[in-house]
Amino acid sequence: MSKIKSRERLRSGNFTKEDLNPTNDVFFKFIFGRPERKQITLAFLNDLLEEELGHEIKDLTFTNSEYVPDKASDKLARLDIVCALDSGEKVDVEMQVANEHNIQKRSLFYWSRMYANSFSKGKVYSNLLPCICINVLDFIEFKEEPESFISLGIYSKRQKRYMKDLSLHFLEIPKFQKKEHMTRIERWLAMFSKKLTFKEKEAIARKDPIMKDVIDSYDLFFSDEKE
């Protein structure tokens, strides 16, 4: 459905679940950025990061997502969702719908602000915390890559991973394809994708408790007068 038609339905009071998608910035933060739905964020991060981290994320704490610049002339960094993992890493999760052709550098800038913010007077460089940026994209950034989940870091010519403190990830929604059997990452893509109807997403959720929590968030969102 076009944005114009969606706005018309909103004005007429006929806005429904079919018109809403987690790519909506407000709804995205409602699902993934609230302590009362922390179990969704934990599951999402574990499905994307457990292999890289080498351990399960058992808990997280949402933290301030706005980094004030050191000088008035510097750029303010306002991130979507920032959290600290129980194992010490800091994670930024961003939803980006419009392709402004700068997402890789933008993500690196956000990472740099998180990384620098974990360092304060009196600390030594070894105290710096690993930072991870996850970008959920409603466009294709890596056209040459068939995978929907792209990871960037610092590697040697022999593809050995160095500097694990720097980690950028990109989840490209348009690469999702309907199929009967899906991986965990593909199920997340299904929840974000506009290729599936709400009823099709409900069918997926009936077989997956965490995806059911995502679907239940729709009713919670519509019943929240503030939202």
Side-chain angles (χ1 to χ4, degrees):
M1 177 175 290
S2 71
K3 291 182 180 179
I4 294 175
K5 288 184 177 179
S6 293
R7 285 197 294 267
E8 289 174 349
R9 292 186 65 169
L10 179 59
R11 292 192 194 101
S12 66
N14 295 321
F15 199 72
T16 68
K17 295 175 186 178
E18 290 284 354
D19 301 309
L20 191 60
N21 189 283
T23 55
N24 175 283
D25 187 56
V26 176
F27 191 39
F28 177 75
K29 294 175 184 177
F30 183 85
I31 296 174
F32 293 95
R34 298 285 188 87
E36 60 267 29
R37 278 176 290 284
K38 183 168 64 173
Q39 79 281 2
I40 298 177
T41 313
L42 277 169
F44 179 68
L45 294 183
N46 269 313
D47 289 338
L48 269 57
L49 301 177
E50 188 170 0
E51 183 177 347
E52 175 186 327
L53 295 174
H55 60 79
E56 180 185 2
I57 305 166
K58 295 183 178 180
D59 198 12
L60 60 82
T61 304
F62 294 105
T63 62
N64 178 43
S65 61
E66 188 171 286
Y67 296 118
V68 179
D70 297 325
K71 298 183 295 183
S73 58
D74 290 343
K75 186 174 179 62
L76 172 72
R78 185 177 288 112
L79 286 57
D80 282 349
I81 299 170
V82 179
C83 54
L85 307 185
D86 59 327
S87 48
E89 300 87 355
K90 295 180 71 176
V91 180
D92 164 40
V93 185
E94 297 289 318
M95 169 56 69
Q96 188 65 31
V97 174
N99 187 359
E100 299 177 359
H101 307 285
N102 61 9
I103 189 62
Q104 293 182 49
K105 290 188 176 183
R106 181 174 179 173
S107 185
L108 188 59
F109 173 70
Y110 285 171
W111 173 88
S112 70
R113 293 313 305 262
M114 274 203 305
Y115 197 61
N117 194 64
S118 68
F119 198 56
S120 57
K121 186 177 180 180
K123 288 188 176 182
V124 295
Y125 288 107
S126 58
N127 292 140
L128 283 163
L129 299 172
C131 293
I132 302 168
C133 289
I134 298 173
N135 303 275
V136 184
L137 310 180
D138 201 16
F139 56 87
I140 295 177
E141 174 70 12
F142 302 92
K143 295 179 181 179
E144 70 282 3
E145 298 288 346
E147 293 84 4
S148 57
F149 186 54
I150 310 294
S151 299
L152 301 182
I154 298 177
Y155 298 82
S156 70
K157 289 184 178 180
R158 296 182 180 180
Q159 294 302 306
K160 183 177 179 180
R161 179 76 181 273
Y162 285 98
M163 288 291 293
K164 291 186 178 181
D165 281 17
L166 171 61
S167 183
L168 309 180
H169 299 279
F170 302 85
L171 187 61
E172 299 173 301
I173 301 170
K175 287 183 179 177
F176 169 75
Q177 298 296 327
K178 293 182 183 181
K179 59 174 71 174
E180 184 176 352
H181 300 290
M182 292 183 282
T183 64
R184 295 296 306 172
I185 290 178
E186 287 171 336
R187 288 191 181 186
W188 286 111
L189 285 167
M191 292 295 108
F192 291 118
S193 178
K194 298 180 180 70
K195 295 177 182 177
L196 298 183
T197 65
F198 184 75
K199 288 184 178 180
E200 288 176 312
K201 293 178 182 182
E202 283 184 312
I204 295 172
R206 282 195 286 271
K207 302 176 184 179
D208 190 321
I210 286 296
M211 301 306 165
K212 185 179 183 302
D213 287 344
V214 174
I215 293 299
D216 288 345
S217 298
Y218 281 73
D219 285 330
L220 294 171
F221 186 79
F222 274 99
S223 64
D224 191 316
E225 291 185 7
K226 181 181 178 182
E227 298 298 343

